[in-house]
Short mmCIF file of all heavy atoms in Angstrom, two decimals:
data_model
loop_
_atom_site.label_atom_id
_atom_site.label_comp_id
_atom_site.label_asym_id
_atom_site.label_seq_id
_atom_site.Cartn_x
_atom_site.Cartn_y
_atom_site.Cartn_z
N ILE A 320 106.80 102.75 99.54
CA ILE A 320 105.84 102.36 98.50
C ILE A 320 106.18 102.95 97.14
O ILE A 320 105.98 102.34 96.10
CB ILE A 320 104.39 102.76 98.88
CG1 ILE A 320 103.34 102.12 97.95
CG2 ILE A 320 104.20 104.25 98.95
CD1 ILE A 320 103.24 100.63 98.02
N THR A 321 106.77 104.15 97.13
CA THR A 321 107.11 104.77 95.84
C THR A 321 108.04 103.85 95.04
O THR A 321 107.89 103.70 93.83
CB THR A 321 107.76 106.15 96.08
OG1 THR A 321 106.93 106.92 96.89
CG2 THR A 321 107.97 106.89 94.73
N VAL A 396 106.42 113.75 94.81
CA VAL A 396 105.57 112.91 95.67
C VAL A 396 106.07 112.93 97.11
O VAL A 396 107.24 113.13 97.37
CB VAL A 396 105.58 111.43 95.20
CG1 VAL A 396 106.97 110.84 95.19
CG2 VAL A 396 104.68 110.59 96.09
N GLY A 397 105.15 112.77 98.01
CA GLY A 397 105.55 112.55 99.41
C GLY A 397 104.93 113.52 100.39
O GLY A 397 104.67 113.16 101.54
N GLU A 398 104.73 114.74 99.97
CA GLU A 398 104.18 115.78 100.85
C GLU A 398 103.74 116.93 99.97
O GLU A 398 104.13 117.00 98.80
CB GLU A 398 105.21 116.23 101.85
CG GLU A 398 106.48 116.64 101.20
CD GLU A 398 107.46 117.36 102.13
OE1 GLU A 398 107.04 118.31 102.78
OE2 GLU A 398 108.62 116.94 102.13
N PRO A 399 102.96 117.85 100.51
CA PRO A 399 102.62 119.01 99.71
C PRO A 399 103.90 119.77 99.34
O PRO A 399 104.78 119.93 100.18
CB PRO A 399 101.76 119.87 100.66
CG PRO A 399 101.28 118.92 101.75
CD PRO A 399 102.37 117.87 101.87
N ASP A 421 102.44 116.56 90.24
CA ASP A 421 102.47 116.52 91.73
C ASP A 421 101.49 115.44 92.10
O ASP A 421 100.27 115.64 92.05
CB ASP A 421 102.05 117.92 92.23
CG ASP A 421 101.91 117.93 93.77
OD1 ASP A 421 102.03 116.87 94.43
OD2 ASP A 421 101.70 119.04 94.29
N THR A 422 102.00 114.26 92.48
CA THR A 422 101.16 113.10 92.65
C THR A 422 100.84 112.87 94.12
O THR A 422 101.75 112.61 94.93
CB THR A 422 101.91 111.85 92.09
OG1 THR A 422 103.16 111.71 92.79
CG2 THR A 422 102.21 111.99 90.60
N TRP A 423 99.60 112.94 94.46
CA TRP A 423 99.19 112.61 95.84
C TRP A 423 98.70 111.15 95.86
O TRP A 423 97.84 110.76 95.08
CB TRP A 423 98.01 113.51 96.29
CG TRP A 423 97.54 113.06 97.65
CD1 TRP A 423 98.05 113.41 98.84
CD2 TRP A 423 96.51 112.08 97.94
NE1 TRP A 423 97.41 112.76 99.88
CE2 TRP A 423 96.48 111.93 99.34
CE3 TRP A 423 95.64 111.36 97.16
CZ2 TRP A 423 95.58 111.06 99.98
CZ3 TRP A 423 94.74 110.47 97.78
CH2 TRP A 423 94.74 110.34 99.18
N TRP A 424 99.28 110.40 96.77
CA TRP A 424 98.85 109.03 96.99
C TRP A 424 99.47 108.52 98.26
O TRP A 424 100.11 109.30 99.00
CB TRP A 424 99.16 108.14 95.78
CG TRP A 424 100.60 108.03 95.39
CD1 TRP A 424 101.38 109.03 94.87
CD2 TRP A 424 101.44 106.87 95.49
NE1 TRP A 424 102.67 108.56 94.63
CE2 TRP A 424 102.72 107.23 95.00
CE3 TRP A 424 101.26 105.58 95.90
CZ2 TRP A 424 103.80 106.34 94.93
CZ3 TRP A 424 102.30 104.67 95.84
CH2 TRP A 424 103.55 105.06 95.36
N GLN A 425 99.34 107.26 98.60
CA GLN A 425 99.77 106.71 99.84
C GLN A 425 100.18 105.27 99.71
O GLN A 425 99.82 104.60 98.74
CB GLN A 425 98.62 106.71 100.86
CG GLN A 425 97.84 107.97 100.99
CD GLN A 425 96.73 107.79 102.01
OE1 GLN A 425 95.77 107.06 101.76
NE2 GLN A 425 96.84 108.48 103.12
N THR A 426 100.88 104.77 100.74
CA THR A 426 101.20 103.36 100.81
C THR A 426 99.91 102.54 100.59
O THR A 426 99.91 101.54 99.86
CB THR A 426 101.77 103.02 102.21
OG1 THR A 426 102.90 103.88 102.45
CG2 THR A 426 102.21 101.57 102.30
N ASP A 508 94.05 112.67 105.30
CA ASP A 508 94.54 114.01 104.87
C ASP A 508 93.40 115.01 104.85
O ASP A 508 92.25 114.68 104.53
CB ASP A 508 95.15 113.93 103.46
CG ASP A 508 96.55 113.38 103.49
OD1 ASP A 508 97.45 114.02 104.08
OD2 ASP A 508 96.76 112.29 102.92
N ILE A 520 96.01 119.46 98.78
CA ILE A 520 96.20 118.65 100.01
C ILE A 520 96.76 119.54 101.11
O ILE A 520 97.71 120.30 100.86
CB ILE A 520 97.17 117.47 99.74
CG1 ILE A 520 96.63 116.57 98.62
CG2 ILE A 520 97.41 116.66 101.01
CD1 ILE A 520 95.33 115.87 98.93
N ARG A 523 98.19 116.09 107.04
CA ARG A 523 97.50 115.05 107.78
C ARG A 523 96.54 115.63 108.80
O ARG A 523 96.76 116.70 109.36
CB ARG A 523 98.52 114.19 108.54
CG ARG A 523 99.53 113.50 107.65
CD ARG A 523 99.03 112.35 106.87
NE ARG A 523 98.33 111.36 107.66
CZ ARG A 523 97.96 110.17 107.21
NH1 ARG A 523 98.20 109.85 105.91
NH2 ARG A 523 97.36 109.32 107.95
N ASN A 529 105.05 114.00 108.54
CA ASN A 529 105.66 113.68 107.30
C ASN A 529 107.08 114.31 107.28
O ASN A 529 107.23 115.47 106.95
CB ASN A 529 104.79 114.24 106.21
CG ASN A 529 105.09 113.61 104.88
OD1 ASN A 529 106.25 113.38 104.55
ND2 ASN A 529 104.07 113.39 104.09
N GLY A 532 109.14 113.41 103.55
CA GLY A 532 108.30 112.48 102.77
C GLY A 532 108.18 111.12 103.40
O GLY A 532 107.59 110.22 102.80
N ARG A 534 106.73 108.84 106.42
CA ARG A 534 105.63 108.92 107.42
C ARG A 534 106.10 108.39 108.76
O ARG A 534 106.58 107.28 108.86
CB ARG A 534 104.55 108.01 106.89
CG ARG A 534 103.22 108.44 107.22
CD ARG A 534 102.36 107.86 106.15
NE ARG A 534 101.46 106.92 106.79
CZ ARG A 534 100.55 106.28 106.10
NH1 ARG A 534 100.49 106.37 104.77
NH2 ARG A 534 99.72 105.51 106.67
C1 LIG B 701 101.02 110.59 102.85
C2 LIG B 701 101.26 109.15 102.46
C3 LIG B 701 102.96 108.13 98.22
C4 LIG B 701 104.33 107.83 98.40
C5 LIG B 701 105.09 108.61 99.43
C6 LIG B 701 104.45 108.76 100.80
C7 LIG B 701 101.41 112.69 101.93
C8 LIG B 701 102.06 112.06 99.58
C9 LIG B 701 101.65 113.92 98.50
C10 LIG B 701 101.47 115.01 97.62
C11 LIG B 701 100.61 116.25 99.41
C12 LIG B 701 101.31 114.11 99.87
C13 LIG B 701 99.97 112.62 102.36
C14 LIG B 701 99.70 111.13 102.36
N1 LIG B 701 101.58 112.94 100.51
N2 LIG B 701 102.10 112.66 98.37
N3 LIG B 701 101.78 114.93 96.31
N4 LIG B 701 100.94 116.14 98.11
N5 LIG B 701 100.76 115.27 100.30
O1 LIG B 701 103.68 107.64 101.14
O2 LIG B 701 104.33 107.20 103.50
O3 LIG B 701 102.19 106.30 102.56
O4 LIG B 701 102.47 108.76 103.01
O5 LIG B 701 102.03 111.44 102.27
O6 LIG B 701 99.85 113.13 103.65
O7 LIG B 701 98.66 110.74 103.19
P1 LIG B 701 103.17 107.38 102.59
#
Side-chain angles (χ1 to χ4, degrees):
I320 190 67
T321 307
V396 58
E398 53 169 308
D421 175 354
T422 59
W423 175 87
W424 60 292
Q425 311 180 292
T426 304
D508 281 296
I520 302 296
R523 301 287 307 190
N529 198 321
R534 211 155 117 179

